[in-house]
Amino acid sequence: MAENLQALLLVCFWVVFLQIPCSARAQELIVSVPENVAVGKTIFTASRLPRTQAGDKAELPCAKMEGDPHGRFNVTENCTIVVANPLDRSVQPVYLLNIRIGVQNTSVKIELTDAEGYPPVYNEKCETPVNPDGKTGDFLYSLAATLEAVKTDGTIWSGKGTYTKLSDIGSTRYRTMLYDDPWMLHTDNSDCNIRYIWYTDAINSLVTMQDLWYNDIRHFTCTEEYKAPKIFFEVILHKRGENITSDMLKQYVPESVVEDKTHNYFLFVSSVYSTTETKTYNCEIPNFRKPVGSAPWANIEYLDIEVKPEGCPAGRYGFLCDKTCICKNGARCHGFNGACKCPPGWKGVACDIPKQDVSITTTPSDPRHIYISANVTFRCTAHHVDVTYMSVRYPNATEKVGFGVTKIDFVVPNIQPTNNGPYTCQVRDTRGNTLNSTFVLNVTNCTPDKKGAECDEVCDCLHGASCGRWVGCVCPPGWTGTRCQTKCPHGTYGKDCLRNCSCQNGANCNPSDGRCGCTDGWYGKNCSKPCLNGRFGWRCQQKCACNNSATCSNVDGSCACVTPWTGRNCDQWQTIASRDEPLLESLIPLGSLVFLVAIVMAILYKTGILSCSAPDAGEEEKILFELRRMEQDLAQSLQPGWLGRWEKKVRHLTPGPLIGEGMFGQVRKAQLRTPRGELAVAAKTVRVEDSQSYRDFYREAAILVAVHQQRNDDCGESNIVRLVGLITKSTEKYILLEYAPKGDLLGFLRRIRNMNGEEGLHGSLLGYAVDIAQALQELGRLRIAHRDVAARNVLITAHDVAKLADFGLARDVYVTTQYVRRDSPGADELLPLTWMALESIETGEYTCQSDVWSFGVLLWEIATLGQDPCYDGRTQLSFRQMVGILRQGKRLAMPEGCPDDLCQLMKECWRDDPDERPTPGEIEEKLLQLRRSLFSHYEMETVV
Ligand SMILES: *[C@@H]1O[C@H](CO)[C@@H](O)[C@H](O)[C@H]1NC(C)=O
Ligand SMILES: *[C@@H]1O[C@H](CO)[C@@H](O)[C@H](O)[C@H]1NC(C)=O
Ligand SMILES: *[C@@H]1O[C@H](CO)[C@@H](O)[C@H](O)[C@H]1NC(C)=O
Ligand SMILES: *[C@@H]1O[C@H](CO)[C@@H](O)[C@H](O)[C@H]1NC(C)=O
Ligand SMILES: *[C@@H]1O[C@H](CO)[C@@H](O)[C@H](O)[C@H]1NC(C)=O
């Protein structure tokens, strides 16, 4: 009996030790679950309770008593146990839940078993950026494709497209392919790559696959420079039961999946993307054996794909950013595997379990942003600890102590390399345990833009170059020199100008990426291929008119006649008549060929870049939609049908000599056939087919239409260049403007300076300024900002009237040096920095008041007879420097002999506060007054 009692006591002791209250009938049930079990899953039901208790449960509800301090499980009234929060074996492998059923207690032991690859590892090296809200893609990357393709008629198509959203894909066919067909990811956390595998044998892709197969296009690869293929594409003719011959397929797609396929064709795409770096891949695409499907494409000359990790919006992760992060307590979530990086004081796969911890952090928090001479704040914090004593130890062995506090802040002012070393925070808790944490300070860099041993020299780098403490400016590709002020020498490009351009036949070479801009008559990556099929000119757009076996120059279309033939037909300009261009559908086979590019092309179609068909109502809507996003007021002032009403026929246009050309567009003098005879016009066209250029194109068109609409087409009086028509229904799109024989104001001013020396102001010049002040009033009434008021954008008509032109299209058509690229990455925009108002530089906002600022610069250009505006004696300034100069109140130096009233007016235009600047109406008033007072004498003489 005594022995029995002893045994019972012993059992009770063990049960107590296991933290289960010793009750009359304690029982233990064991449940084994994998640690990665999903939240919400039921892991235990009442049916597993012994019968008698299951009976009890009906009357007496279940409740969780003990054994789960961090709320991992929910126990329902009917004794069902549900996983309430993510589990993690490394934090706690076993839970002993004590459950009360009626008056009895039961313990359930939950054992977690190991799951492979769980929890996901947070590899900081592979961290993807967090895509800020507002510009979220539904995809971890953005893709940009640059491609040149030859059409069957010999014309060249080239363009660039960028896209960040899979849901943007124009054709539902691609969408279904992408979302419905299987794909999988192999992520490699050690080399920060994602391998994306997509394969299909779906019926709706079969036609395309057969098409490709019979065209001998069975696989192609895209290669990163000097590296192994990274994007791999294969069409496989796979017979059921046969061995798999594709190595890639064997390696990445489970055999069971392949064997399971019922169809013969199998399409396989594998691509490896870096999670950290932007990479460009060059694709080798075989020539087409015959035109693919009904598409007018003969082959693809080159295709480059740029893949840039953009990251997922906060709280999401995965290749498609479709998974929800589980990270709690401010933990950062890894973009590609969802792993959480716990802040101090928290642990567990979701960082939701408190952890006794001590941390030492700094402000700025990223050690890379701690620079010499900064004031750095250190913070020592105890998390979930009952502190009795806390101390901080400096590298020089000084100690700072606190009693009963959980936080100590201290500042090290003017930090220097002598302050480097370990800063240790130590905490003792009420039970006598000690915790500590160490931060090793290693500050070596000067603040950005400073260099030298003492960090007292200014780098002053241009073109967004970074500044190294010992090496000085580290130039971006395409620039060189101590301040990166020099473009790569002719024939070279890239980082440090170390690479040689391969552009031929007079093509210009982009100094940053070496891309060639072919001259008339040539195409191909190096511009080494002459136009084919009797075509000539830029992008082989023109058709030769040579007869009788004459050979036609691919450059200018001139004919070398065969005797006895001679004749004037040999050198005529002939424009291509507008034809019905291919529809989107006919592009699809080509599209699926290049898969990723397909998506890009679909986007190009959507944005109207590729679309060669007539701008129908839908097109007009799309353009309006784009405009509305940019300028609400402008979009509202357009009446329906605005685009169609101005449309002219391309066959009525006879292009003539080039009068302006730049990287983005060109302007030709041209003859337009009208019912009232031939009319000389200036025809502007876009050269680079990217969406920015097209937006600029339609913005200019829209503004001009709006201006004319407002004046009821009474254009005689306007000081805004007269719109003659638009051509948007052909491959080449044109804006047709009145032809101004005297050219632009800047050239005009410089001619005066060259002829007369620095003679000073001229009465008629102020008259031009008055004209432009009137133009600004017109724009003000429509609430449209011009954004680029400058002498180069003012045209002088045959009747000596100055008119405002160039609403953003072809920014470098007339000059190239006055535009600066914004430093910030991503904003790829050329901007006329020295003309821009302070607030436009700082915030990118343009208003009628910011136009007034630029108008002040235009007055300055008039007063100096066309000098380049410069601040501090420098014409090349970065955005930051420019803001610095203007914020200090510095402005352009007043030209010598400038009349006081004129100087005063300029200064008023350059006031910091936009609302304090004069209105265009006031400016006109003042200019007229000034002109009367300065030149009345002179003008009377000339009138007489
Ligand atoms: C667990 O219980 C809490 C509180 O009753 C509830 O908010 C939560 O949704 C439950 N979780 C699950 C997975 O049922
Ligand atoms: C237990 O109750 C929940 C609702 O609280 C119910 O969904 C579930 O089916 C019940 N299970 C059993 C075994 O009765
Ligand atoms: C498939 O592979 C196995 C071994 O790898 C080989 O024995 C067999 O002959 C192959 N079958 C065909 C049809 O090639
Ligand atoms: C550091 O603090 C001192 C005094 O509080 C201040 O004068 C100095 O400008 C600060 N330095 C920096 C780089 O913020
Ligand atoms: C140790 O370094 C700290 C911070 O840099 C400073 O405040 C303190 O005076 C130094 N103590 C000694 C003994 O040099």
Side-chain angles (χ1 to χ4, degrees):
M1 186 64 194
E3 236 176 82
N4 280 352
L5 192 65
Q6 236 175 3
L8 185 66
L9 282 175
L10 198 67
V11 168
C12 283
F13 170 77
W14 281 109
V15 170
V16 168
F17 186 74
L18 292 171
Q19 299 185 332
I20 300 171
C22 181
S23 79
R25 287 208 292 159
Q27 303 208 12
E28 196 174 88
L29 292 152
I30 297 178
V31 179
S32 182
V33 289
E35 57 176 336
N36 62 354
V37 62
V39 169
K41 185 148 173 89
T42 301
I43 56 170
F44 182 90
T45 57
S47 63
R48 291 201 47 195
L49 291 169
R51 193 162 296 282
T52 51
Q53 293 183 355
D56 292 347
K57 153 222 100 178
E59 302 125 49
L60 298 158
C62 262
K64 181 170 70 180
M65 299 303 289
E66 269 163 35
D68 182 25
H70 305 306
R72 300 292 101 179
F73 305 98
N74 279 0
V75 177
T76 62
E77 291 198 338
N78 56 14
C79 289
T80 300
I81 302 179
V82 176
V83 178
N85 278 300
L87 301 170
D88 186 343
R89 198 165 171 268
S90 64
V91 171
Q92 187 170 348
V94 176
Y95 291 83
L96 273 172
L97 291 195
N98 181 22
I99 297 173
R100 196 194 62 217
I101 307 162
V103 292
Q104 295 169 345
N105 282 347
T106 294
S107 63
V108 177
K109 182 175 180 184
I110 301 171
E111 290 177 344
L112 302 185
T113 59
D114 191 30
E116 206 191 318
Y118 183 92
V121 176
Y122 196 100
N123 181 347
E124 295 195 19
K125 272 201 336 233
C126 304
E127 228 166 41
T128 54
V130 175
N131 203 335
D133 288 330
K135 64 170 272 240
T136 51
D138 53 2
F139 173 45
L140 200 52
Y141 294 90
S142 69
L143 300 176
T146 314
L147 98 138
E148 183 174 89
V150 185
K151 291 189 187 177
T152 43
D153 67 0
T155 55
I156 308 299
W157 185 88
S158 69
K160 180 171 178 175
T162 310
Y163 98 105
T164 54
K165 277 185 194 261
L166 291 178
S167 52
D168 256 358
I169 297 164
S171 158
T172 48
R173 185 161 161 188
Y174 295 127
R175 237 193 319 257
T176 9
M177 275 163 78
L178 260 174
Y179 284 120
D180 297 352
D181 291 338
W183 58 271
M184 56 172 106
L185 294 175
H186 296 249
T187 49
D188 190 334
N189 225 340
S190 60
D191 68 357
C192 302
N193 278 331
I194 289 186
R195 182 177 287 275
Y196 167 75
I197 309 263
W198 180 81
Y199 56 91
T200 182
D201 68 340
I203 280 286
N204 62 2
S205 316
L206 265 184
V207 183
T208 310
M209 284 189 265
Q210 280 175 352
D211 228 352
L212 297 172
W213 184 262
Y214 289 113
N215 249 295
D216 280 343
I217 299 186
R218 300 188 184 169
H219 66 87
F220 71 81
T221 54
C222 302
T223 313
E224 202 195 330
E225 237 170 344
Y226 313 125
K227 304 259 174 66
K230 286 293 172 65
I231 298 178
F232 185 90
F233 175 100
E234 190 164 14
V235 186
I236 297 153
L237 183 62
H238 175 64
K239 298 220 166 64
R240 224 141 96 94
E242 275 187 6
N243 290 348
I244 307 165
T245 48
S246 161
D247 291 340
M248 295 292 269
L249 202 61
K250 249 192 280 189
Q251 194 176 346
Y252 292 108
V253 182
E255 200 162 325
S256 59
V257 172
V258 181
E259 279 307 309
D260 209 35
K261 295 291 161 187
T262 46
H263 297 294
N264 278 341
Y265 291 95
F266 205 83
L267 180 66
F268 173 78
V269 179
S270 149
S271 31
V272 179
Y273 301 138
S274 163
T275 52
T276 50
E277 291 169 76
T278 301
K279 299 250 165 126
T280 303
Y281 306 92
N282 308 316
C283 303
E284 296 282 341
I285 297 175
N287 280 356
F288 303 166
R289 214 166 59 169
K290 65 176 171 57
V292 180
S294 54
W297 304 101
N299 76 60
I300 294 183
E301 268 309 305
Y302 63 80
L303 165 66
D304 296 344
I305 302 175
E306 186 191 271
V307 183
K308 180 178 177 194
E310 296 280 4
C312 292
R316 307 227 139 230
Y317 75 98
F319 188 69
L320 298 177
C321 299
D322 54 344
K323 304 203 177 94
T324 307
C325 292
I326 55 168
C327 308
K328 299 275 161 57
N329 296 306
R332 189 162 174 201
C333 165
H334 202 294
F336 85 67
N337 65 6
C340 306
K341 180 173 155 189
C342 294
W346 298 97
K347 63 184 175 180
V349 63
C351 304
D352 58 348
I353 297 175
K355 178 184 171 194
Q356 290 206 334
D357 208 357
V358 45
S359 66
I360 178 157
T361 53
T362 55
T363 312
S365 59
D366 186 339
R368 286 169 301 184
H369 295 156
I370 300 180
Y371 304 110
I372 290 171
S373 83
N375 299 334
V376 178
T377 306
F378 291 81
R379 169 170 287 187
C380 172
T381 319
H383 309 272
H384 311 116
V385 183
D386 294 326
V387 182
T388 54
Y389 167 88
M390 179 182 251
S391 75
V392 177
R393 196 180 163 88
Y394 291 50
N396 63 10
T398 306
E399 268 196 355
K400 194 170 175 169
V401 178
F403 292 94
V405 295
T406 56
K407 195 166 76 185
I408 294 180
D409 282 347
F410 58 99
V411 179
V412 179
N414 186 23
I415 212 151
Q416 295 297 326
T418 49
N419 297 113
N420 284 347
Y423 289 74
T424 302
C425 178
Q426 197 173 67
V427 163
R428 192 163 321 133
D429 73 6
T430 45
R431 278 182 280 169
N433 298 322
T434 307
L435 293 164
N436 59 39
S437 170
T438 300
F439 175 87
V440 179
L441 180 74
N442 183 19
V443 43
T444 52
N445 291 331
C446 308
T447 40
D449 206 33
K450 290 283 174 63
K451 63 176 180 180
E454 307 295 324
C455 288
D456 53 356
E457 295 165 52
V458 178
C459 262
D460 202 9
C461 307
L462 300 173
H463 302 112
S466 59
C467 169
R469 183 172 179 192
W470 307 113
V471 296
C473 297
V474 180
C475 302
W479 296 95
T480 181
T482 49
R483 291 173 52 227
C484 306
Q485 73 278 28
T486 315
K487 261 201 185 133
C488 280
H490 190 72
T492 63
Y493 74 97
K495 186 105 192 90
D496 298 323
C497 309
L498 287 178
R499 322 209 34 195
N500 290 325
C501 288
S502 57
C503 307
Q504 298 175 20
N505 297 305
N508 59 22
C509 167
N510 184 316
S512 61
D513 59 13
R515 214 173 269 289
C516 307
C518 297
T519 51
D520 290 0
W522 302 95
Y523 73 99
K525 198 157 193 167
N526 305 336
C527 305
S528 57
K529 302 187 177 178
C531 294
L532 300 171
N533 298 4
R535 296 202 152 254
F536 71 97
W538 185 61
R539 282 192 183 163
C540 308
Q541 296 287 331
Q542 318 279 343
K543 209 175 167 84
C544 287
C546 307
N547 293 318
N548 301 309
S549 319
T551 49
C552 165
S553 155
N554 61 306
V555 175
D556 57 10
S558 60
C559 306
C561 303
V562 179
T563 44
W565 301 100
T566 57
R568 43 200 288 275
N569 280 353
C570 290
D571 54 4
Q572 268 178 352
W573 277 91
Q574 194 185 328
T575 51
I576 359 152
S578 87
R579 290 171 290 112
D580 281 335
E581 291 287 344
L583 294 171
L584 171 62
E585 287 313 307
S586 61
L587 265 178
I588 283 177
L590 175 78
S592 49
L593 163 70
V594 289
F595 185 65
L596 293 175
V597 178
I599 298 165
V600 171
M601 290 175 82
I603 304 294
L604 296 184
Y605 250 104
K606 240 191 128 177
T607 51
I609 290 168
L610 263 183
S611 158
C612 309
S613 51
D616 47 21
E619 177 88 13
E620 193 174 294
E621 263 308 302
K622 258 184 283 176
I623 296 165
L624 259 186
F625 175 77
E626 277 291 320
L627 286 173
R628 237 176 250 135
R629 291 202 328 203
M630 299 191 291
E631 280 154 288
Q632 189 65 35
D633 287 332
L634 172 57
Q636 271 170 2
S637 58
L638 294 165
Q639 294 158 359
W642 60 276
L643 200 53
R645 267 199 300 279
W646 288 90
E647 189 72 24
K648 298 280 181 276
K649 293 201 165 51
V650 73
R651 63 169 188 275
H652 291 162
L653 187 75
T654 312
L658 212 57
I659 48 181
E661 183 176 32
M663 221 153 79
F664 299 112
Q666 47 175 233
V667 184
R668 283 183 188 276
K669 184 179 178 184
Q671 295 294 325
L672 182 71
R673 205 156 76 228
T674 70
R676 275 167 280 164
E678 296 266 311
L679 180 68
V681 294
K684 303 179 90 170
T685 181
V686 185
R687 183 157 192 170
V688 177
E689 283 161 341
D690 66 10
S691 45
Q692 177 65 41
S693 302
Y694 272 84
R695 267 201 295 276
D696 285 348
F697 178 91
Y698 282 115
R699 176 175 186 266
E700 175 156 25
I703 289 175
L704 291 170
V705 170
V707 166
H708 285 264
Q709 220 169 248
Q710 193 208 21
R711 304 186 63 91
N712 283 331
D713 298 338
D714 166 23
C715 304
E717 305 270 306
S718 175
N719 287 102
I720 290 171
V721 70
R722 186 161 61 88
L723 179 67
V724 176
L726 299 169
I727 296 178
T728 60
K729 293 188 183 183
S730 72
T731 325
E732 287 281 280
K733 301 187 188 324
Y734 294 96
I735 293 178
L736 308 176
L737 302 166
E738 69 179 302
Y739 176 67
K742 295 192 177 173
D744 64 282
L745 178 59
L746 184 64
F748 192 81
L749 292 169
R750 291 184 173 169
R751 279 195 298 277
I752 296 180
R753 189 170 62 188
N754 290 342
M755 281 186 321
N756 305 350
E758 315 258 336
E759 198 188 58
L761 266 183
H762 212 281
S764 62
L765 293 183
L766 276 190
Y768 296 149
V770 173
D771 290 341
I772 301 308
Q774 280 170 357
L776 291 185
Q777 291 173 56
E778 278 181 64
L779 288 179
R781 279 192 288 276
L782 287 165
R783 285 188 291 172
I784 294 169
H786 181 281
R787 301 171 182 217
D788 196 5
V789 175
R792 61 181 172 276
N793 291 334
V794 171
L795 296 176
I796 314 286
T797 67
H799 303 105
D800 246 353
V801 178
K803 293 197 174 190
L804 193 54
D806 274 283
F807 291 77
L809 172 73
R811 290 180 193 284
D812 63 347
V813 161
Y814 298 109
V815 272
T816 49
T817 56
Q818 302 300 352
Y819 296 87
V820 180
R821 220 169 266 278
R822 214 181 247 288
D823 305 348
S824 63
D828 206 13
E829 225 185 333
L830 291 172
L831 294 169
L833 196 57
T834 33
W835 276 261
M836 280 164 71
L838 180 56
E839 71 274 9
S840 307
I841 302 175
E842 283 184 326
T843 65
E845 267 184 29
Y846 298 89
T847 56
C848 296
Q849 287 98 324
S850 65
D851 277 350
V852 165
W853 178 299
S854 309
F855 180 83
V857 182
L858 181 133
L859 281 180
W860 187 93
E861 289 183 277
I862 290 178
T864 58
L865 292 178
Q867 282 179 9
D868 287 335
C870 67
Y871 289 84
D872 265 3
R874 291 184 292 181
T875 44
Q876 287 282 354
L877 288 163
S878 72
F879 272 76
R880 226 186 14 236
Q881 291 163 339
M882 190 71 195
V883 170
I885 289 173
L886 294 178
R887 275 278 169 229
Q888 286 166 30
K890 290 191 198 158
R891 296 292 185 267
L892 290 170
M894 283 304 141
E896 263 177 58
C898 168
D900 286 347
D901 289 351
L902 188 61
C903 287
Q904 187 54 36
L905 183 56
M906 287 182 215
K907 285 179 188 155
E908 285 169 13
C909 292
W910 300 328
R911 285 184 177 146
D912 278 4
D913 182 353
D915 293 329
E916 285 180 14
R917 297 175 199 150
T919 64
E922 290 162 9
I923 292 176
E924 186 189 349
E925 193 92 339
K926 287 188 184 168
L927 284 171
L928 288 173
Q929 255 173 32
L930 185 65
R931 193 159 78 142
R932 273 194 298 275
S933 67
L934 285 177
F935 301 110
S936 51
H937 173 65
Y938 170 83
E939 273 177 345
M940 261 155 53
E941 271 185 358
T942 48
V943 167
V944 169

